[in-house]
Amino acid sequence: MSLPAAAMNVERQLLLSEIAEFNAAYAHCIDDDQLEQWPEFFAEDCEYQIIPRENVDLGLPAAIVFCDNRGMLIDRVVALRKANIYPAHYSRHVLGAPVLLDADGRGLHSQTSYVLMLTRMDGETRLFSAGKYVDVMVRENGVLRLKNRSVVFDTHRIDTLLVTPI
Amino acid sequence: MNAPIQWPKAVNEIPKAIFTDAALYEREIETIFHGAQWHALAHRAEIANPGDFKTMLLGRMPVIVANGEDGKIRVFFNSCTHRGNQVEMASCGNRKAFECPYHRWMFRTNGELAICPGSEEFSPGFDKKDYGLRELRTAEFCGLIFATASADTPALESWLGAVAGTLAGALGGDGRLKLLGYQKVRYASNWKAYSDNDGYHAPLLHVGFRLLGWQGGQGSQKPTPNGHLAFESQLKPVVNRDFLKDPSLIDLKATDPESGSLIAQLFPHTVITKHMDVINVRFATPISVDCTEVHYAYFSHADDSEELVRHRIRQSSNLLGPCGMVSMEDASIFNRIHIGSFTPGNAKFQKGVKRTDEVWFDVKQNDESGNLPKWNYYCQLMGFQRSEVA
Ligand code: FES
Ligand SMILES: [Fe+2]
């Protein structure tokens, strides 16, 4: 990653604030438990994965969540609501500022750090996951959507289980 | 001071206190993990190339599983033969040699000590040959690398006994695997609760199976006298495929539905499973009386097409394990068994229990009594005396 150009032009600043706003809405959607809306942040033809940084560094493809279309995102939410048994919890995402890496024919390439705090029913808030989003966003009818979100997490020793998306 | 643990007379009961007793945990580390059992530490596919290595814990003892430049896999204590410093810190990697940074002793990948600076001033009679990394007994089965710190452990084949067939099947038949990646997790649970999953719970706990109309087909469950357990069962077609927007996730592409689910649970706590098209080895490590770490390693087979590998990646990343849509419930249960075990009394097995005076081995697929031979073995191994009275 290189230093941002000294003279940032206005168009770039607008894009960055748009991405930041998108990410903030995405995080609040999860943290406010509006998970049924969460797949709408993605393009129909999309990829979403949550993958340990350790696997990425080793060039290994297995993830802890890997969806390669929007339908699979919906399946994850339905499983969480109807099938899965897990400790009830609140999620709290804290996001860093996005970095715009590239804008090309495929979309906007950006990267954003996150920390995810989890509060289970004992009331204690624990750092559950730290990592980054590696994103490609596209514009559909003027609205940004995720073509690709790779959640690469540093905290590769998971505490018990992961059910709620990051 | 805790009251001594009373092992009940009935073979279908176990004291809850064994999950929470810290002194017992210390004895288990010595007797079981440092004792006369084989422990699966790696699959050859994780360290496929000369110089590849992986570090693990065997009980509390740090070890290095190393593929030597000569292509032979060895297991060493991860402790410098000079003053005992931990030699390797990385969880895995590739090295030409292992160098201890403290005084720069350098070990070849076959364990031999190659360099020890200043050796002309070492004690009289010092010989490099005596200072190779200390090697443990190892054995291999379908690429799965086992080690033991004890000279008394029986040969691997006889230790595996009747579970060997299921184990081979779960490892793709011939063990020619390729590593797809890891999911690593810590459960707030004693290792024995982690490894006590049974044949009774699956259709009840895992609601996903019910919603999909996906009840298991015919199958078998075979316990061994030394605490292993093998499950084999058919996978019937899913009735409610429409429940999923993308049902291709649960297709079987390389697996015969007749033996769609194979699970080998090895004493004390390694699980190897081939379920649908997922090939998964669960390397577990006891961390403390109330914490168990598990590394879920996922594999493809060497003969897979590119398309099949992608399918395995999709299934590996979505179905089983601590984040899997159809089985993460197990993770919740491990933690909850642990919390519940701080109450007095015994846990009681019921499903499939035909008698309570001695253990037997012909159990049915969905019995929980398949776990009883293991508990009986554990009881004897740890030197508990059964109560005389019920
Ligand atoms: S302790 Fe390893 S070189 Fe001295
Ligand atoms: Fe289960």
Side-chain angles (χ1 to χ4, degrees), chain A residues 47 54-55 60-66 68-69 71-72 75-76 83-86 156-158 160-162, chain B residues 91 180 182-187 207 244-246 293 310 313-314 317-318 322-323 325 329 331-332 335:
Chain A
E47 269 196 18
E54 188 185 36
N55 286 1
L60 298 170
I64 63 170
V65 172
F66 172 50
D68 56 11
N69 56 66
M72 288 179 79
D75 290 340
R76 274 274 171 182
N84 299 144
I85 292 168
Y86 52 87
H156 66 253
R157 196 180 68 212
I158 299 157
T160 308
L161 59 80
L162 173 134
Chain B
S91 64
L180 293 178
Y182 298 102
Q183 299 175 346
K184 298 184 177 177
V185 62
R186 269 193 188 189
Y187 298 119
V207 180
L244 290 176
K245 294 260 183 233
D246 186 353
E293 182 163 319
R310 181 160 176 97
I313 294 168
R314 289 175 103 224
S317 306
N318 286 304
C323 316
M325 280 196 289
E329 293 76 30
S332 307
N335 290 10

Side-chain angles (χ1 to χ4, degrees), chain B residues 80 82-85 100 102-105:
Chain B
C80 180
H82 177 215
R83 297 251 301 277
N85 187 64
C100 177
Y102 197 176
H103 313 93
R104 301 286 170 188
W105 286 25

Side-chain angles (χ1 to χ4, degrees), chain B residues 223-229 265-268 361 370 373-375 377-378:
Chain B
T224 70
N226 62 335
H228 310 318
L229 190 53
Q265 288 181 203
L266 305 182
F267 188 84
F361 294 87
K374 176 196 69 186
W375 282 116
Y377 178 67
Y378 170 87

Side-chain angles (χ1 to χ4, degrees), chain B residues 103-122:
Chain B
H103 313 93
R104 301 286 170 188
W105 286 25
M106 173 103 78
F107 302 90
R108 298 194 177 93
T109 56
N110 66 5
E112 288 168 8
L113 176 60
I115 295 170
C116 43
S119 58
E120 60 287 350
E121 292 171 76
F122 286 8

Side-chain angles (χ1 to χ4, degrees), chain B residues 159-350:
Chain B
W159 182 84
L160 288 172
V163 85
T166 308
L167 178 60
L171 291 166
D174 55 9
R176 291 169 48 242
L177 305 180
K178 287 193 169 162
L179 181 64
L180 293 178
Y182 298 102
Q183 299 175 346
K184 298 184 177 177
V185 62
R186 269 193 188 189
Y187 298 119
S189 170
N190 183 265
W191 67 271
K192 299 188 293 301
Y194 160 73
S195 58
D196 202 28
N197 237 327
D198 58 67
Y200 177 27
H201 82 285
L204 300 163
L205 171 67
H206 301 302
V207 180
F209 290 113
R210 189 164 75 236
L211 292 173
L212 289 164
W214 197 11
Q215 300 306 335
Q218 298 297 309
S220 68
Q221 177 180 179
K222 290 197 192 102
T224 70
N226 62 335
H228 310 318
L229 190 53
F231 291 92
E232 298 198 3
S233 60
Q234 285 180 330
L235 282 181
K236 287 253 189 68
V238 173
V239 179
N240 301 330
R241 277 180 72 87
D242 296 348
F243 187 77
L244 290 176
K245 294 260 183 233
D246 186 353
S248 71
L249 180 62
I250 53 173
D251 284 346
L252 298 187
K253 289 197 199 286
T255 297
D256 177 3
E258 286 305 307
S259 55
S261 177
L262 305 174
I263 305 170
Q265 288 181 203
L266 305 182
F267 188 84
H269 65 0
T270 307
V271 178
I272 301 93
T273 182
K274 186 164 171 297
H275 190 81
M276 295 173 278
D277 292 313
V278 178
I279 303 172
N280 177 217
V281 181
R282 302 170 186 178
F283 299 103
T285 308
I287 302 297
S288 64
V289 66
D290 51 13
C291 180
T292 304
E293 182 163 319
V294 187
H295 298 176
Y296 292 69
Y298 293 88
F299 299 91
S300 58
H301 191 270
D303 296 338
D304 289 349
S305 67
E306 215 173 292
E307 187 205 346
L308 181 53
V309 171
R310 181 160 176 97
H311 176 68
R312 289 203 205 271
I313 294 168
R314 289 175 103 224
Q315 288 199 338
S316 301
S317 306
N318 286 304
L319 293 174
L320 308 182
C323 316
M325 280 196 289
V326 295
S327 75
M328 71 172 69
E329 293 76 30
D330 291 320
S332 307
I333 295 302
F334 303 145
N335 290 10
R336 289 167 72 160
I337 291 238
H338 194 73
I339 292 167
S341 294
F342 283 93
T343 59
N346 300 327
K348 299 174 186 182
F349 291 73
Q350 290 299 341

